[in-house]
Amino acid sequence: MEHLVEQFVDFIRIEQNLSPNTVDSYRRDLLRYVRFLKDPQGRVEPRQITRADLSEFVQQLDTVGLSPKSLARNLSAIRGWHRYLLDEALLDHDPADLIDLPKLPRTLPSVLEIEEIERILEQPDTLSHLGVRDRAMIELLYACGLRISELLGLRQSQIVSDGGFVRVMGKGSKERIVPMGKVAADWIQYYQEKVRPHLAPGGRADDTLFLNARGRPMSRMGFWKILKKYADKAGINKDVTPHTFRHSFATHLLEGGADLRVV
């Protein structure tokens, strides 16, 4: 059944445009499920899977202490796989049709006050090349409410400085136009003109906007460490992540009177 898992993974990657992280997680979850079905249940083809098998698998996941969020993701992957097999006429019925996803507790995301945002923005040393880069990244992250993947995936060609907006490729390869505000636009322009050429000498880097000290595209972990460093220097005791800025962006827009549907 492993080859059917790989077929489904190709399907969600190509047809549904799911993110690489989601695709990898689904693949791991489904291969674990298939291993369970083959040993000790001995199931070797999808038509042999029963609701009892799936219920036992869910009980085992719960027994090992899997979080409700992880359990929900596992079940979502399994249900998607079974629906795919049903559509491909490889199943006569869906053994997962009566399995409910666990209720996930609703948690309020951490939100920074405007004054806390300003304190973080003041921390980079803008007399240095890397400090200017960091200030430009954080300004843009907050001004546009970007996801970290969107920020790090930006290319110079997506920045329209004279128009004051950025073309962002979001989830599902959907493009949206986001205004970035004059302050963020000024920092981005300064970074592009005065700093980025020093990080990518000789034009060896590709069109990626934000580069690390070695002239390579900035990594997720690299930016997380940078943001945490500045949050600590600013004396912020909250859990500050790139997504915190996205939530703060939306909250501050609503508090400023923006239309909820637009936000």
Side-chain angles (χ1 to χ4, degrees), residues 32-74:
R32 182 192 303 118
Y33 177 49
V34 167
R35 286 195 298 270
F36 165 82
L37 292 172
K38 296 176 76 171
D39 182 24
Q41 276 69 17
R43 312 299 189 207
V44 294
E45 61 174 284
R47 285 189 171 87
Q48 294 178 302
I49 303 173
T50 67
R51 290 193 179 95
D53 292 330
L54 183 51
S55 295
E56 184 178 348
F57 180 69
V58 172
Q59 289 175 358
Q60 286 199 12
L61 292 180
D62 190 51
T63 300
V64 299
L66 212 62
S67 71
K69 185 175 181 179
S70 295
L71 181 57
R73 190 199 64 224
N74 272 263

Side-chain angles (χ1 to χ4, degrees), residues 116-249:
E116 292 175 320
I117 295 279
E118 291 174 344
R119 276 161 48 198
I120 293 176
L121 287 170
E122 292 170 356
Q123 299 311 310
D125 176 12
T126 53
L127 296 179
S128 69
H129 289 152
L130 295 183
V132 171
R133 178 206 62 190
D134 297 347
R135 177 69 181 265
M137 292 185 76
I138 300 172
E139 287 279 4
L140 191 62
L141 180 72
Y142 174 61
C144 298
L146 301 180
R147 300 178 179 91
I148 183 173
S149 58
E150 295 170 347
L151 178 74
L152 300 182
L154 280 177
R155 295 186 171 274
Q156 295 194 88
S157 54
Q158 293 174 253
I159 302 295
V160 185
S161 298
D162 54 353
F165 65 87
V166 56
R167 293 184 293 108
V168 178
M169 294 301 295
K171 288 185 175 180
S173 298
K174 295 179 181 177
E175 183 182 78
R176 67 182 191 277
I177 305 299
V178 185
M180 55 180 164
K182 187 177 186 309
V183 175
D186 287 346
W187 278 106
I188 293 297
Q189 185 174 4
Y190 184 73
Y191 162 74
Q192 285 183 290
E193 294 177 356
K194 304 296 184 182
V195 173
R196 192 181 181 281
H198 292 280
L199 298 180
R204 290 194 299 271
D206 60 15
D207 193 39
T208 301
L209 178 60
F210 294 114
L211 306 176
N212 61 25
R214 297 181 300 278
R216 304 295 299 166
M218 173 74 69
S219 69
R220 294 170 70 97
M221 185 57 66
F223 184 62
W224 274 59
K225 290 179 178 178
I226 288 170
L227 199 58
K228 186 178 188 309
K229 176 184 70 174
Y230 292 136
D232 290 343
K233 287 181 64 177
I236 307 297
N237 295 320
K238 299 175 182 177
D239 183 22
V240 179
T241 69
H243 214 64
T244 305
F245 277 75
R246 182 168 164 83
H247 285 302
S248 302
F249 159 82

Side-chain angles (χ1 to χ4, degrees), residues 72-85:
R73 190 199 64 224
N74 272 263
L75 291 178
S76 180
I78 291 169
R79 291 172 71 175
W81 186 54
H82 282 302
R83 284 195 296 270
Y84 169 79
L85 296 177

Side-chain angles (χ1 to χ4, degrees), residues 3-35:
H3 73 284
L4 296 176
V5 169
E6 297 300 338
Q7 288 179 17
F8 174 68
V9 167
D10 288 339
F11 169 74
I12 61 176
R13 179 189 297 115
I14 298 170
E15 299 293 333
Q16 297 185 353
N17 267 327
L18 296 186
S19 72
N21 287 340
T22 300
V23 171
D24 289 343
S25 296
Y26 273 31
R27 183 178 184 274
R28 287 195 301 270
D29 295 340
L30 289 172
L31 289 177
R32 182 192 303 118
Y33 177 49
V34 167
R35 286 195 298 270

